[in-house]
């Protein structure tokens, strides 16, 4: 049986060494691809999609140019919308669904696949940390020791509040809502609201709620409140 490369070990969630030439080159490629996206300036939607696909190494050809700029933009209306700046370790492990928005200053430690489903909204400064390290400092050994990763999966129709962090191995079910500033360490059931550090279940999302501005602030409690306020309410309720 052939020996696995460090990249193959990384992708399968095994201990691997990150500072081998193949992976250093892959991170350098992603760094420069992100820089090109982040510094694109005032360019067309077509160009942004092209630069995003360069980050993710999506080789699908773009559709032929439409007659007008407005018509051309319509060709990409279902493409994910990623606000710059963003940072990704590898890029090729990012899988973002259609009609999804990622806010500015997002960070993806995508040593394993990071998947975000369609129709999902992600606030600014959200971190997707797919990488982790051994707890034993001697084994960890700085940049000379091994590390590992776990995939992150966010379902469709989710909403992740700004300044949240999603940790390795977490799955957020369809329709999940993460309150701003949360640290998500465990799976989130479909159609539930979580908030806090560590994030805890606040309640279930009922069908059709939040369809007015009043409902959005009173019924989806915890979705965009600082985690300290949410934690205080949980303590008052004895949770």
């Amino acid at each position: 049986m052939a020996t696995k490369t460090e990249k193959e070990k990384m992708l399968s969630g095994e201990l691997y060494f990150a500072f081998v030439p193949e992976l250093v080159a892959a991170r350098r490629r992603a760094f420069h691809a992100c820089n090109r996206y982040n510094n694109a300036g005032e360019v067309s939607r077509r160009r942004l999609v092209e630069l995003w696909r360069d980050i993710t190494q999506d080789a699908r050809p773009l559709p032929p140019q439409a007659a007008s700029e407005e018509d051309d933009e319509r060709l990409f209306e279902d493409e994910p919308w990623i606000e710059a700046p963003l940072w990704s370790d590898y890029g090729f492990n990012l899988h973002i669904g259609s009609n999804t928005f990622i806010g500015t200053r997002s960070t993806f430690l995508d040593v394993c696949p990071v998947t975000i489903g369609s129709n999902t909204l992600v606030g600014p400064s959200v971190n997707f940390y797919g990488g982790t390290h051994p707890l034993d400092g001697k084994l960890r050994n700085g940049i000379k020791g091994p590390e590992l990763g776990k995939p992150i999966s966010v379902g469709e129709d989710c909403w992740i509040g700004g300044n949240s962090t999603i940790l390795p191995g977490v799955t957020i079910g369809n329709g999940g809502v993460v309150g701003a500033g949360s640290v998500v360490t465990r799976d989130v059931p479909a159609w539930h609201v979580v908030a806090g550090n560590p994030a805890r279940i606040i309640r279930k999302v009922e069908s059709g709620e939040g369809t007015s501005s009043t409902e959005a602030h009173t019924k989806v409690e915890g979705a965009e409140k600082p985690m300290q306020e949410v934690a205080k309410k949980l303590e008052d309720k004895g949770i």
Side-chain angles (χ1 to χ4, degrees):
M1 181 180 292
T3 302
K4 285 185 177 180
T5 66
E6 298 305 313
K7 181 179 179 180
E8 289 170 336
K9 293 176 187 176
M10 177 185 79
L11 294 174
S12 61
E14 301 173 32
L15 284 171
Y16 72 98
F17 290 90
F19 287 86
V20 296
E22 181 184 22
L23 293 180
V24 170
R27 290 195 299 275
R28 186 176 293 126
R29 184 213 66 84
F31 175 81
H32 291 301
C34 287
N35 259 338
R36 288 190 289 272
Y37 189 94
N38 295 338
N39 296 301
E42 295 184 20
V43 296
S44 67
R45 179 72 170 131
R46 171 179 289 271
R47 179 57 177 157
L48 282 178
V49 171
E50 184 179 37
L51 289 169
W52 169 249
R53 291 189 182 184
D54 182 36
I55 293 172
T56 61
Q57 295 190 296
D58 182 345
R60 289 177 299 159
L62 297 180
Q65 183 99 29
S68 69
E69 183 176 344
E70 184 175 336
D71 288 339
D72 199 59
E73 288 205 358
R74 287 198 190 97
L75 297 175
F76 303 101
E77 61 185 5
D78 289 329
E79 290 286 330
W81 193 286
I82 319 293
E83 291 285 354
L86 76 144
W87 298 105
S88 168
D89 270 359
Y90 294 100
F92 56 72
N93 271 330
L94 297 181
H95 308 282
I96 313 297
S98 62
N99 193 34
T100 285
F101 176 85
I102 310 289
T104 184
R105 300 185 303 277
S106 56
T107 299
F108 300 91
L109 304 188
D110 57 326
V111 302
C112 284
V114 175
T115 305
I116 300 175
S118 300
N119 310 318
T120 286
L121 303 176
V122 177
S125 301
V126 173
N127 307 305
F128 297 87
Y129 290 162
T132 185
H133 301 271
L135 293 179
D136 184 338
K138 295 294 184 183
L139 175 60
R140 195 164 56 243
N141 194 25
I143 64 173
K144 295 180 180 179
E147 54 188 78
L148 70 159
K150 296 179 182 179
I152 292 172
S153 178
V154 179
E156 298 182 351
D157 303 301
C158 294
W159 175 19
I160 301 178
N163 289 295
S164 295
T165 297
I166 316 300
L167 293 186
V170 164
T171 294
I172 299 175
N174 291 344
V177 177
V178 176
S182 297
V183 177
V184 185
T185 62
R186 298 180 179 180
D187 291 353
V188 177
W191 306 103
H192 278 74
V193 180
V194 301
N197 181 5
R200 291 180 284 184
I201 293 176
I202 305 298
R203 60 183 191 76
K204 187 174 181 181
V205 177
E206 301 299 333
S207 177
E209 74 176 86
T211 53
S212 70
S213 59
T214 302
E215 283 184 311
H217 289 289
T218 59
K219 285 196 172 183
V220 191
E221 187 174 341
E224 283 295 338
K225 293 188 177 183
M227 63 183 181
Q228 294 93 340
E229 184 178 341
V230 173
K232 178 65 167 58
K233 288 194 173 185
L234 289 171
E235 290 174 3
D236 292 343
K237 292 177 181 179
I239 297 176

